[in-house]
Amino acid sequence: MHTNTLNTALRIKTAKQYIYKKRLQNWSRFFVLRDLDTKCYFYDPPIFIEMRILLCLVLIIAFVGCSSESQQPLSTLLQTSESIKGNDRYKDSPYVTAGDRVYMVGHQNGQFPPLGWHIKGEMGGIWNHPIKLLDGFDAEIQLENDTLQLNNATDFINYPFANQHIFDFPSKNISVDRIQFVPDTTQGVFVQFVIHNKGATEKSLKFTFTGHTDLRPTWLGERTQMHDAVDNIKFDGSKWVGKDEDNPWFTVFGSDQNPSSSSSPEKINGENGKSGSLVYAFTVPSKSEYILNFVISGSYKSQEEALATYLDIHNGFFKMAQQKKERYAQLAHQSKLTIPDKNMQQAFEWLKYNCDWLVRSVPEIGTGIGAGIPDYPWWFGVDSEYALKGYMAIGQKDIVEKTIMLLDSVSLAVNHNGKILHEMSTNGTVFNPGNINETPQFASLIYHIYKWNGDLEFLKKYFPTVQKGLQWLMDENDSNNNLFPDGFGMMEIHGLDSEMIDVAAYTQKAFEDASKMATELEKHDLAKEYQALADTLRTKINTDFWSEPFGSYADFLGTDQPALHLIDDAVVRADTLNKPWAIEELQATKKAILGQQSTSLKPFVLHHNWVVNTPMEMGIADSTKAITALNTAEKYTNPFGMFVTGIDRDESAGKDIGSFKGSKVFSYTGAVMTLPTGVQAIAENNYGRPDNALDYLTRMTRTFSYALPGSMYEVSPDYGMIVQAWNIYAFAIPIVEQFFGINPEANRNTVIIKPQMPSKWDKASLENVSVSNNHISIWYENNNDHFKIKIEQTQPDWTIKLILPQDHNLTAEGGAKLNMVDGKTVFTATNTTSLVVSKPNMKP
């Protein structure tokens, strides 16, 4: 358990502190300096014999102590890492320090206030799902008669693998860096305090660290007999150990130094939590620093496990941080984007880090991406079905397959019929067994991933779920047999559970993709059956759901009476939000319905919900209707993107760039969100309008680092989840699969590349895109007198097929085969690692 290593480090620190004290008494000219690599030096003792004594001590420290990890400031790693500084206006807002087992959520000012609504006020702090460990911690420094509270950070800086709070007290010549990260695959968090003495004299300080335990179950824990009890905490001479009275839930927190004192204030956190304080007394020479390292660890199984993690992190934190930093550098290297818009380029890179922050692993249940932090840290069907397509495009394929395995296995265990779950807590409880759209979207996800990984065994494993799910979808949810399933889709507005446009669009796409999967598995009769259904649905969507008066696909198909009730509810909503234009439109629609009543199904456009754009997202809209609908959708935007519900738009839409004013009770009313905006970008690209698509990406990019540096909120620009999984769908699909046009057919060892670049991107590259065991890189240049596209791959036995607009002046290097097909110039290259296509300078 590395006890000797930890104790050695403690003895080394004690020796160093002894030297500092003796310096005050006798050796006034002796001092020790430590550079950034933790090397030790000594200088100028007045008496030679003292020099020999001190030299022995210094050599001992240099040989043992200075090589100890406990003396290494994490700032040495941060100095060579990219970072983004927080906005002063948002210090009183959340950040996350993320790991796959544990994560910590607090405020950028250094505090841990009550936060979140799923478990009211409890979604912050330190979580080791399915339990919480601490509500957070406080720290303070006593300097003579002054107490310096570390709760109002001067700066907050975010790094891909860590974050940093800086507390500056210039009048006291003291500053403190608080740096924290969560080591991979461990049940603990490491926090380092570096206390800087900027003054000309030595300072004697007392440092107090107070942890606030809150060993409680996650959301819906009571459904699996997880009942919270009082925490008991015990000080063992160096650290605090907390245990839930009725459960084997443990937390341990302390430093690698023995404290000079400890106490347990009479403070109760929530109903059952306790607090424990640790006090450290030390001196800091002038122009020097002092390091205190803390670990908070936990276990929902045993004290032994929590203690082992505690020691492992203390003894190995620097190497763990190095490894995590290197792993994040590899994430950045995958699907590496270089474009003229450096803000968007940075946002794309950090979204890769965001994706990793959301990985949630509970070994007894599984590993998968959470939907968002802080209130949706657990697993969702539909969020994953969007996000995992983006994860695949940025090379994070391991978590893609783990998440699919988790969703599939739990859905089958709960539903037994191919229906895909909606929401599942980390204790294994399924809250919602599934909305209607999630089952067809799962089918399309499986085919999408298969095109990227080419793994026939993957397809064989999940196609039975697809087949069962589609049968359940049509047999159990289409009461009038018109091929449109009934029930809630993405819009969970009361009453919108009839025949929804998004359910219809995703169902059509599911049957089209299932047909292709059946063909791959040589189930040819089934493939024909599925394709026939897909063809019929495409036609019916373009006729039954189209509303010519509104220039839009309908929110839903329904009859008059339910629609009238929905209109009345929508009028109340519009009136509450002071949207007079929406009230006028809704009342006109009501008048039209009452003037020509019928009992037949008809398309209704009431809310202008973003889902009316899903036929374009799926590419199934007739081109004429698509362009009309895309132009209509532009009315329901603001500078950050698409409104979730169009009737929430007001006259300031397109102009207001301020903070989102959400309701006191968490709600998406009036919201502009990244998912609808990303869907719109994808839809624009599907109909050959990349400049319009780029406009939507630009709108979303305005929200990057708006509140949390390095992240993009769920609700634009600064409301809801501070990190959101489906943001990567909104960026990676338009950029990787549409602008650069990478469309893998890994099952055929082929990559089809059909770029459609925005006009503003005259020079762009996307490198190291992982497609099965191949890696694709593309460099693109296009200006007034020059065009060139270069494609490289690491597997020469794969086929590259480059499709460009017809142009007889294009030439290829390396003997690629050229064909003119359907008005396109097609270059096909085999047995090569490189394809270069260019057009000669056409200037006279």
Side-chain angles (χ1 to χ4, degrees), residues 468-514:
K468 280 177 156 179
L470 293 179
Q471 183 172 349
W472 166 82
L473 183 68
M474 305 310 290
D475 289 354
E476 302 294 329
N477 301 281
D478 183 20
S479 58
N480 60 3
N481 295 314
N482 70 345
L483 301 184
F484 295 137
D486 306 301
F488 281 113
M490 287 298 293
M491 296 306 301
E492 295 175 325
I493 294 176
H494 180 69
L496 283 184
D497 57 353
S498 55
E499 295 178 350
M500 309 305 299
I501 182 59
D502 56 323
V503 174
Y506 293 141
T507 297
Q508 190 281 335
K509 183 63 172 170
F511 278 110
E512 186 174 286
D513 291 338

Side-chain angles (χ1 to χ4, degrees), residues 336-475:
K336 179 176 174 58
L337 178 69
T338 306
I339 55 176
D341 185 339
K342 297 308 174 185
N343 291 331
M344 190 178 294
Q345 178 178 315
Q346 184 184 47
F348 184 72
E349 182 168 318
W350 277 77
L351 284 174
K352 301 176 198 175
Y353 310 144
N354 290 185
C355 286
D356 195 73
W357 297 350
L358 289 164
V359 174
R360 184 66 40 242
S361 182
V362 180
E364 295 78 12
I365 299 173
T367 296
I369 61 168
I373 291 173
D375 273 293
Y376 298 110
W378 36 76
W379 305 299
F380 284 75
V382 72
D383 297 66
S384 300
E385 288 159 351
Y386 287 112
L388 293 179
K389 293 179 180 180
Y391 272 73
M392 203 68 181
I394 59 171
Q396 297 184 22
K397 52 190 176 183
D398 182 59
I399 188 59
V400 169
E401 297 193 9
K402 286 180 178 177
T403 305
I404 289 172
M405 182 169 63
L406 175 64
L407 293 175
D408 178 69
S409 60
V410 177
S411 294
L412 287 175
V414 171
N415 295 323
H416 315 292
N417 56 6
K419 178 181 178 180
I420 301 302
L421 66 85
H422 175 67
E423 184 174 10
M424 171 188 177
S425 184
T426 51
N427 65 345
T429 298
V430 173
F431 173 68
N432 178 346
N435 293 332
I436 303 300
N437 61 300
E438 279 156 310
T439 295
Q441 284 186 266
F442 184 80
S444 291
L445 172 66
I446 296 302
Y447 183 60
H448 193 98
I449 301 307
Y450 174 64
K451 289 194 299 179
W452 279 84
N453 68 18
D455 183 353
L456 191 61
E457 293 304 312
F458 171 87
L459 195 60
K460 289 177 180 177
K461 180 176 181 180
Y462 295 112
F463 188 73
T465 300
V466 170
Q467 193 172 354
K468 280 177 156 179
L470 293 179
Q471 183 172 349
W472 166 82
L473 183 68
M474 305 310 290
D475 289 354

Side-chain angles (χ1 to χ4, degrees), residues 66 146 366 506 514:
C66 290
D146 294 317
Y506 293 141

Side-chain angles (χ1 to χ4, degrees), residues 171-182:
S171 65
K172 305 299 179 185
N173 288 316
I174 290 284
S175 72
V176 180
D177 296 339
R178 191 187 105 191
I179 304 168
Q180 55 257 327
F181 83 102
V182 178

Side-chain angles (χ1 to χ4, degrees), residues 630-642:
L630 291 171
N631 291 338
T632 298
E634 292 177 4
K635 301 175 185 177
Y636 304 103
T637 64
N638 79 359
F640 300 121
M642 291 290 300

Side-chain angles (χ1 to χ4, degrees), residues 2 5 18 48 84 200 219 221 261 281 355 392 424 432-433 477 551 569 578 581 695 727 745 749 793 811 829 836:
H2 310 294
T5 304
Y18 172 77
F48 182 76
I84 303 178
W219 183 56
S261 63
C355 286
M392 203 68 181
M424 171 188 177
N432 178 346
N477 301 281
D569 291 343
N578 190 27
W581 73 268
D695 176 70
N727 291 347
E745 292 183 356
N749 285 358
Q793 64 176 353
T811 60
V836 179

